């Protein structure tokens, strides 16, 4: 016999028992009572097991503070907690109409309804606002989501007298969902509303991240009426090779794919194409080619659009082409010195002794990155700063170890022409670096661009 069958048999037994006449024992006592006197009625307490019966569980509940009363949440009435009364109420015409007109609720929702007493917690909205603000803090300051597991605990410990803080339930999983499903759609909808009402420029850049995922970032630049200034806002991040779209996977990072993906993001939010007045990107062929590029398609679809290449990319290309006129051994020397020290703690400790002997700053040799713009300027400055210490160190290493790697560096450090080239690079590279920083400034610099272009690197101004 199943558990439900056993409960039904128990309920039927109790109902039949309550409908019987007075038990035999009580009949004997009644005969002994005086004429006209009736036995005292025995009251029955409410039993929570009644709510498990299928015919009672959707409407029968206990009255708070009174174990002798029951209530019907469908009819909003109370009565004594006796099975005969409960059964008669269930057979009533009014009760049947109320049950048929009320939509069924899940057991969990019903338990919450009873627990809350049909009253909304006044702190519920404040708790939600606090959780959303904490999630927005992570996004605005680029904080790792794992930190929220500890931030909430610290806040509860500090503000132990705050009821709102004590009721916050926020971990990294919930924070991630709040950011992706609440903050992100709301913020993008606000930005889309602004783009519908103002002219804007589009800036895109395609790159491959450390996870070998090729993505294209879209930035919009426009005049924000609320902030009363020109702002640049993140619009979208698109997967160039979308695994769910076979056509895009086969097409790749072509100009047609990049252009269509970019335009589609604005079509989804019904932003008028007439508001697009400018386009900016780096100068690669797929972006700014003459015939088949994103820029050429922009000109065909949006006549009169303003096209502009990235100035920072252009400066980098200029400096790279100029450096090709210098001997290749200058760049090779920087890479060889970094490789010699990068994987050996012993060599770094030994070099530290030479720095202390010459009263030089205890700086490490920098790595000349192949992708970081104008990083060679910092590398050259560091090598010139540590030139004497490096020369003494590799003189000692070459005499003691006789390694081929140390011999190559030893020869270059003792070559006066190599040092002359490095001194020239130390003088000329800061001109491009300062100009690069100047173009990345948030200030308005259009009126002084020509002046900054002809300044010598010896004139260092705050930008």
């Amino acid at each position: 016999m199943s558990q439900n069958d056993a409960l039904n048999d128990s309920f039927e037994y109790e109902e039949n028992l309550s409908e019987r006449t007075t038990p035999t024992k009580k009949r004997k006592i009644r005969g002994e009572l005086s004429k006209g006197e009736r036995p005292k009625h025995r009251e029955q307490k409410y039993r929570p097991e009644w709510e498990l019966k299928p015919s009672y569980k959707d409407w029968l509940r206990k009255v708070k503070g009174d174990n002798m009363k029951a209530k019907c949440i469908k009819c909003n009435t109370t009565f004594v907690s006796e099975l005969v009364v409960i059964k008669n109420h269930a057979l009533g015409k009014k009760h049947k109409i109320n049950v048929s007109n009320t939509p069924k609720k899940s057991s969990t929702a019903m338990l919450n309804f009873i627990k809350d007493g049909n009253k909304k917690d006044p702190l519920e909205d404040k708790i939600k606002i606090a959780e959303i603000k904490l999630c927005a803090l992570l996004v605005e300051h680029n904080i790792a989501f794992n930190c929220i597991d500890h931030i909430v605990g610290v806040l509860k410990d500090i503000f132990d007298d705050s009821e709102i803080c004590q009721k916050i339930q926020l971990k990294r999983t919930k924070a991630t969902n709040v950011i992706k499903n609440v903050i992100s759609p709301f913020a993008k909808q606000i930005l889309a509303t602004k783009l519908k009402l103002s002219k804007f420029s589009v800036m895109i850049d395609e790159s491959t991240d450390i996870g070998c995922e090729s993505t294209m970032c879209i930035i919009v630049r426009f005049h924000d009426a609320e902030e009363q200034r020109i702002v640049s806002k993140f619009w979208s991040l698109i997967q160039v090779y979308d695994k769910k779209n076979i056509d895009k996977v086969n097409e790749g990072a072509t100009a047609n794919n990049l252009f269509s993906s970019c335009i589609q993001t604005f079509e989804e939010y019904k932003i008028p194409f007439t508001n697009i007045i400018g386009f900016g990107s780096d100068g690669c062929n797929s972006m700014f080619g003459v015939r088949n590029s994103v820029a050429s398609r922009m000109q065909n679809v949006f006549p009169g659009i303003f096209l502009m290449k990235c100035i920072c990319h252009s400066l980098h290309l200029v400096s790279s082409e100029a450096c090709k006129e210098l001997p290749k051994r200058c760049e090779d020397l920087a890479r060889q010195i970094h490789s010699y020290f990068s994987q050996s703690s012993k060599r770094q400790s030994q070099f530290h002794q030479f720095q202390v002997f010459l009263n030089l700053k205890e700086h490490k040799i920098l790595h000349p990155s192949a992708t970081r713009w104008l990083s060679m300027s910092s590398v050259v400055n560091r090598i010139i700063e540590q030139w004497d210490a490096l020369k003494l160190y590799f003189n000692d290493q070459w005499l003691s170890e006789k390694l081929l790697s140390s011999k190559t560096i030893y020869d270059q450090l003792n070559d006066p022409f190599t040092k002359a080239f490095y001194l020239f690079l130390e003088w000329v590279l800061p001109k491009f670096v300062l100009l690069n920083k100047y173009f990345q400034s948030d200030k308005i610099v259009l009126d002084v661009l020509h002046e900054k272009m002809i300044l010598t690197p010896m004139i260092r101004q705050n930008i």
Side-chain angles (χ1 to χ4, degrees):
M1 181 182 296
S2 63
Q3 185 177 2
N4 293 334
D5 296 338
L7 287 172
N8 291 334
D9 294 342
S10 175
F11 289 136
E12 292 176 1
Y13 174 77
E14 291 182 3
E15 291 176 356
N16 296 333
L17 185 63
S18 62
E19 293 176 354
R20 292 178 186 172
T21 57
T22 307
T24 305
K25 185 176 181 180
K26 288 192 175 183
R27 283 202 298 271
K28 292 181 180 180
I29 298 176
R30 181 180 294 180
E32 299 175 359
L33 296 175
S34 59
K35 189 176 181 180
E37 184 179 0
R38 301 184 64 179
K40 186 177 180 180
H41 178 73
R42 178 185 174 188
E43 295 181 350
Q44 188 174 6
K45 292 184 178 181
Y46 181 86
R47 296 179 60 185
E49 292 83 357
W50 293 341
E51 298 178 12
L52 301 177
K53 190 173 182 181
S55 57
Y56 298 156
K57 67 178 183 178
D58 292 334
W59 56 270
L60 182 63
R61 297 294 180 266
K62 176 185 175 181
V63 176
K64 277 190 175 182
D66 192 349
N67 295 330
M68 302 300 176
K69 296 285 185 179
K71 68 177 179 180
C72 174
I73 61 175
K74 304 291 186 181
C75 305
N76 197 21
T77 57
T78 59
F79 37 79
V80 294
S81 58
E82 295 185 2
L83 279 175
V84 176
V85 178
I86 295 172
K87 184 177 180 180
N88 291 336
H89 179 80
L91 297 175
K93 184 177 180 181
K94 179 181 177 182
H95 176 79
K96 291 181 178 180
I97 295 174
N98 292 336
V99 171
S100 61
N101 293 336
T102 306
K104 292 185 179 181
K105 297 182 179 180
S106 63
S107 58
T108 305
M110 185 60 67
L111 291 175
N112 294 335
F113 176 84
I114 302 163
K115 182 178 179 181
D116 298 338
N118 201 21
K119 294 181 180 179
K120 188 176 181 180
D121 189 357
L123 295 177
E124 184 177 353
D125 290 340
K126 295 182 179 180
I127 295 171
K128 291 180 180 179
I129 292 173
E131 292 176 348
I132 292 174
K133 286 186 175 181
L134 286 174
C135 295
L137 176 69
L138 300 179
V139 177
E140 183 176 1
H141 297 282
N142 197 23
I143 302 175
F145 289 179
N146 290 341
C147 294
I148 199 65
D149 294 348
H150 307 281
I151 292 175
V152 174
V154 172
L155 292 177
K156 288 184 178 181
D157 185 56
I158 296 174
F159 305 106
D160 55 351
D161 57 341
S162 173
E163 190 174 358
I164 297 175
C165 186
Q166 296 301 318
K167 290 187 177 181
I168 291 177
Q169 300 295 330
L170 188 64
K171 297 294 183 180
R172 61 180 178 272
T173 304
K174 183 178 179 181
T176 303
N177 291 323
V178 169
I179 293 170
K180 292 173 61 177
N181 303 321
V182 179
I183 297 178
S184 177
F186 181 74
K188 191 163 186 178
Q189 188 61 49
I190 294 177
L191 180 57
T193 304
K194 293 181 179 180
L195 295 181
K196 292 177 182 179
L197 303 175
S198 62
K199 305 292 184 180
F200 64 92
S201 299
V202 180
M203 296 179 289
I204 65 175
D205 189 20
E206 184 268 330
S207 180
T208 304
D209 60 14
I210 193 173
C212 201
E213 293 288 341
S214 185
T215 56
M216 181 176 67
C217 179
I218 303 177
I219 304 294
V220 291
R221 188 172 178 85
F222 63 99
H223 180 266
D224 194 333
E226 294 182 1
E227 301 183 21
Q228 291 297 318
R229 64 188 183 93
I230 297 176
V231 297
S232 298
K233 299 289 186 180
F234 170 79
W235 172 250
S236 182
L237 188 67
I238 302 172
Q239 296 291 333
V240 176
Y241 298 95
D242 191 356
K243 299 177 182 177
K244 299 179 181 179
N245 192 334
I246 300 178
D247 296 334
K248 284 191 174 183
V249 171
N250 295 329
E251 186 175 1
T254 61
N256 182 54
N257 186 12
L258 298 178
F259 175 78
S260 60
S261 300
C262 177
I263 296 302
Q264 187 178 0
T265 59
F266 297 107
E267 289 180 345
E268 293 176 359
Y269 288 85
K270 299 180 179 179
I271 297 174
F273 290 160
T274 54
N275 288 352
I276 302 177
I277 60 174
F279 171 74
S281 179
D282 57 7
C284 65
N285 188 52
S286 60
M287 292 293 182
F288 266 91
V290 178
R291 295 179 179 83
N292 185 17
S293 64
V294 177
S296 63
R297 286 171 169 77
M298 286 283 183
Q299 284 181 321
N300 295 332
V301 179
F302 314 114
I305 190 172
F306 180 79
L307 304 177
M308 184 175 182
K309 296 182 181 180
C310 178
I311 300 298
C312 297
H313 276 85
S314 300
L315 290 174
H316 171 63
L317 293 175
V318 169
S319 60
S320 298
E321 289 297 321
C323 287
K324 290 181 180 179
E325 299 298 324
L326 299 175
K328 191 175 181 298
R329 65 175 184 270
C330 295
E331 183 178 354
D332 292 341
L333 176 62
R335 299 187 184 279
Q336 290 169 359
I337 294 177
H338 177 268
S339 300
Y340 189 87
F341 289 107
S342 60
Q343 302 297 328
S344 176
S345 177
K346 177 182 178 181
R347 291 174 179 176
Q348 293 181 19
S349 300
Q350 292 174 344
F351 180 63
H352 172 71
Q353 304 301 322
F354 289 89
Q355 290 176 318
V356 174
F357 176 74
L358 296 175
N359 294 324
L360 298 176
K361 294 182 179 180
E362 302 172 8
H363 291 161
K364 291 185 177 181
I365 303 300
L366 300 178
H367 173 58
S369 175
T371 58
R372 188 76 62 181
W373 294 346
L374 303 172
S375 62
M376 186 58 70
S377 177
S378 303
V379 176
V380 169
N381 292 337
R382 183 61 53 84
I383 291 178
I384 291 296
E385 176 191 272
Q386 304 291 331
W387 189 277
D388 294 335
L390 288 170
K391 188 175 180 180
L392 288 178
Y393 173 78
F394 281 100
N395 286 344
D396 180 72
Q397 290 296 105
W398 167 240
L399 293 175
S400 60
E401 296 181 358
K402 298 292 183 179
L403 295 176
L404 181 61
S405 59
S406 59
K407 181 183 183 302
T408 304
I409 301 174
Y410 166 80
D411 292 339
Q412 294 298 325
L413 291 174
N414 287 275
D415 185 358
F417 290 99
T418 302
K419 187 173 183 180
F421 283 124
Y422 267 85
L423 291 175
F424 169 75
L425 290 172
E426 184 187 25
W427 174 81
V428 73
L429 287 179
K431 181 177 180 65
F432 294 92
V433 173
L434 293 175
L435 196 60
N436 195 322
K437 292 180 180 178
Y438 193 73
F439 277 102
Q440 298 179 38
S441 174
D442 294 332
K443 302 177 183 178
I444 299 175
V445 297
L446 186 61
D447 56 334
V448 291
L449 285 179
H450 182 265
E451 179 185 353
K452 291 295 181 181
M453 289 291 291
I454 61 177
L455 282 177
T456 61
M458 302 302 296
I459 304 176
R460 299 179 180 270
Q461 297 181 353
N462 295 327
I463 55 175

